[in-house]
Amino acid sequence: MQVDAGRFLADLHKLREFGAAGVGRGVVRPAYSEADMAARDWLAQRMREAGLRVEVDPMGNLFGLADAPSLLMGSHSDSQPEGGWLDGALGVIAALEVARASREAGGPAISVVSFQDEEGRFGVTTGSAVWGGHLAQDVADLLCDHNGVTLGEARSVVPATGDVDPVQFTGFIEMHIEQGPVMDSTGEQIGVVSDIVGIRDMKITFEGQQNHAGTTPMALRQDAFQAVSTFNQALAERFANVVTPATVWTIGHVSLHPNASSIVPGKAVFSMQWRDGDADRLGRMEQIIRDLAQEVADARGMRVSFGKMLGLEPVAMDMRLRKALETSAKTVAPNKWRVMPSGALHDATNVSRLMPVAMLFVPSINGISHAFEEDTDEADLVAGLKVLAGAVAAL
Ligand code: GLV
Ligand code: MN
Ligand code: MN
Ligand code: MN
C-alpha cells in the first residue's frame, strides 16, 4: 500500500480552513457550529470520492463505510472553543488517506469516522460516548453547554441518515497528536499508546448573597468568587497524600453572577475536572472535592451544590493492534518511538466498549495543544501516517 503524503497534507490543510482563527493558526470549530457542520460536509464529500458510503448517525458522528467487515479508523473534527488545527483532524485525515490508499492497492477494507463533540461542548467525548453505549441518547440530549443550550437542541442541525452498527468493524485505530511535551523533549517521532487515563468532570455551584461592592464590609460578605478561590487554594493541600505526579485537576470554566465590577458575586458556577490512570484514586479525589466544597460553603454560611458527574474509566489498548503499531514504528522510525500512556481523553476510550482499539501519537511542538499555537513538524505527521499504513497492511 502506497500512501500519498502530498494528498494527505493537502487535505489536512483544507480542513484547517473551516473555522480558521487566522493564517497559520488554529481553529474555532466547536461541535454543531456552522464551521463544524461545513467541515463535515466537505469530509463527507471526500469520503464519497474515496469510494466510501457516507452515513451520519443521529448524534452527528460521520462515517465513511467500506464493505463489511472492515477496520475502523479516525478521530474527531470538532474543536475546543480555541483549538489547534491537528487535534482530532489529524486522525480523521490520516484515516481517510489510509482508506484511500488501501482501496487503490486492493488492500483491506478500511472505514473512516469523525466523531461528534469529542471536545465536550456538552460533556466528555459525547459523540462516541453515545455511539459506544456509555451514554443514552435521551440522557445526553439534556446535557447543557456553558450557555444553557441543550445537546438535544444543538443536534437538530445534524443531517442524520441512520444508525451505524458497530458489529461490522473488526477494530479501531486512532492517530492523534501527543498534546504534551514528552516526545518533543526526547526528539522521538512516534508514540504507541499503552493506556488512556480516566476522567471525572462536574459542575459545582457556590451560592451566597449578591450585594453592593462598596458598602458591604469584607467580614460580612457571602462572596461566591472568594469561595471558589479558597476552595481552589485548599484543594492541592487536601490532595497531597492521594495524588501522584501524573494526576491532574483543572478548574477551566468559571461563571460569576452577575459578573460586574461593583457587585459582590452571589453565585459562582465552575467546572471541576480531574484525571488519573487509577479509578480508585479518582473516587478518593471525588470525596475530597465534595467534602472540601461543603466545608468552604459552611464556613461562609453559603450553599454548595454539585451537578451530574460525567466520567470515563481508564482503559488499556488491545495488545494485538498495539503490537502491529509497534512493529510498524520499528520500521518507519527506528529508535525514535516509544510506548506511552495518554493523559488526554480520546474517542478510543468509548469505542473500546465495542471492539479492540489502539492509538498512535506524533509529537506536539513545545507540548502545546488546546491552543491556537498547536503544531507538529511535517516530517512527524508523515512518519505517523506511514506507521499507520504499515500496521494496517500487516493486520
Ligand atoms: C479531550 O480533548 C481532552 O480533554 O482530553
Ligand atoms: Mn482530540
Ligand atoms: Mn482536544
Ligand atoms: Mn480531545
Side-chain angles (χ1 to χ4, degrees):
M1 174 195 324
Q2 216 46 48
V3 283
D4 183 335
R7 184 169 61 179
F8 158 69
L9 292 169
D11 276 351
L12 202 48
H13 282 282
K14 177 67 195 176
L15 182 49
R16 183 181 199 168
E17 290 173 15
F18 295 91
V23 178
R25 303 187 79 214
V27 295
V28 177
R29 212 163 55 216
Y32 307 111
S33 64
E34 242 173 73
D36 172 45
M37 298 312 289
R40 284 168 190 276
D41 239 23
W42 172 78
L43 272 171
Q45 189 51 34
R46 287 307 264 162
M47 287 171 170
R48 283 186 205 101
E49 287 161 10
L52 302 168
R53 186 169 57 80
V54 169
E55 291 278 7
V56 180
D57 78 3
M59 265 300 286
N61 297 313
L62 166 66
F63 291 83
L65 300 172
D67 291 339
S70 69
L71 187 64
L72 180 65
M73 292 171 50
S75 188
H76 62 96
S77 54
D78 62 303
S79 84
Q80 288 287 336
E82 290 193 5
W85 72 293
L86 294 168
D87 181 356
L90 174 62
V92 175
I93 299 298
L96 179 65
E97 178 53 29
V98 173
R100 228 160 18 196
S102 184
R103 203 179 158 83
E104 286 164 1
I110 311 289
S111 295
V112 180
V113 63
S114 171
F115 286 110
Q116 185 52 286
D117 197 26
E118 192 276 346
E119 298 293 16
R121 175 178 166 195
F122 293 99
V124 178
T125 60
T126 330
S128 56
V130 171
W131 187 64
H134 177 64
L135 187 62
Q137 184 72 70
D138 55 336
V139 176
D141 279 344
L142 300 176
L143 295 171
C144 280
D145 71 4
H146 290 304
N147 294 316
V149 177
T150 66
L151 193 156
E153 288 160 355
R155 75 181 177 88
S156 65
V157 299
V158 170
T161 59
D163 286 314
V164 173
D165 189 344
V167 297
Q168 65 196 295
F169 306 119
T170 55
F172 175 65
I173 303 183
E174 179 171 5
M175 176 172 163
H176 207 280
I177 48 167
E178 181 198 325
Q179 309 186 271
V182 176
M183 286 192 281
D184 189 59
S185 65
T186 61
E188 289 158 322
Q189 281 194 298
I190 301 292
V192 177
V193 175
S194 54
D195 23 45
I196 303 175
V197 293
I199 190 170
R200 301 287 183 268
D201 195 298
M202 69 176 165
K203 286 187 180 126
I204 302 179
T205 303
F206 282 120
E207 283 175 278
Q209 179 59 56
Q210 182 177 327
N211 211 334
H212 194 292
T215 57
T216 317
M218 297 310 286
L220 295 183
R221 292 183 181 202
Q222 292 180 329
D223 180 330
F225 178 69
Q226 284 188 11
V228 177
S229 165
T230 304
F231 169 81
N232 180 53
Q233 188 81 32
L235 200 54
E237 218 171 275
R238 297 291 176 96
F239 277 163
N241 294 324
V242 173
V243 298
T244 76
T247 313
V248 291
W249 62 93
T250 308
I251 295 176
H253 189 278
V254 180
S255 103
L256 295 180
H257 187 84
N259 213 18
S261 306
S262 293
I263 301 180
V264 174
K267 180 171 166 178
V269 185
F270 63 101
S271 62
M272 180 73 232
Q273 184 193 89
W274 61 109
R275 309 185 189 207
D276 193 85
D278 177 348
D280 285 347
R281 184 171 293 113
L282 291 172
R284 275 176 275 148
M285 291 172 78
E286 180 191 350
Q287 201 52 55
I288 290 169
I289 288 165
R290 288 183 189 273
D291 291 349
L292 177 61
Q294 192 63 58
E295 258 177 65
V296 169
D298 289 349
R300 293 168 182 269
M302 292 169 51
R303 292 176 301 286
V304 64
S305 56
F306 302 93
K308 179 178 166 60
M309 192 173 73
L310 300 172
L312 290 172
E313 300 312 309
V315 296
M317 299 297 97
D318 175 74
M319 225 9 127
R320 180 174 151 270
L321 294 182
R322 177 178 146 184
K323 286 294 168 202
L325 290 171
E326 288 180 21
T327 304
S328 183
K330 275 178 206 159
T331 311
V332 174
N335 305 317
K336 288 176 83 174
W337 66 281
R338 67 161 55 214
V339 172
M340 62 187 298
S342 173
L345 256 297
H346 296 289
D347 294 306
T349 292
N350 293 310
V351 181
S352 74
R353 296 168 67 91
L354 304 171
M355 64 192 83
V357 303
M359 285 198 75
L360 177 69
F361 283 164
V362 291
S364 295
I365 295 173
N366 297 324
I368 292 176
S369 185
H370 285 186
F372 289 148
E373 302 94 296
E374 173 194 283
D375 206 358
T376 297
D377 278 340
E378 213 162 79
D380 296 338
L381 296 174
V382 173
L385 175 71
K386 287 182 176 165
V387 171
L388 202 57
V392 167
L395 284 164

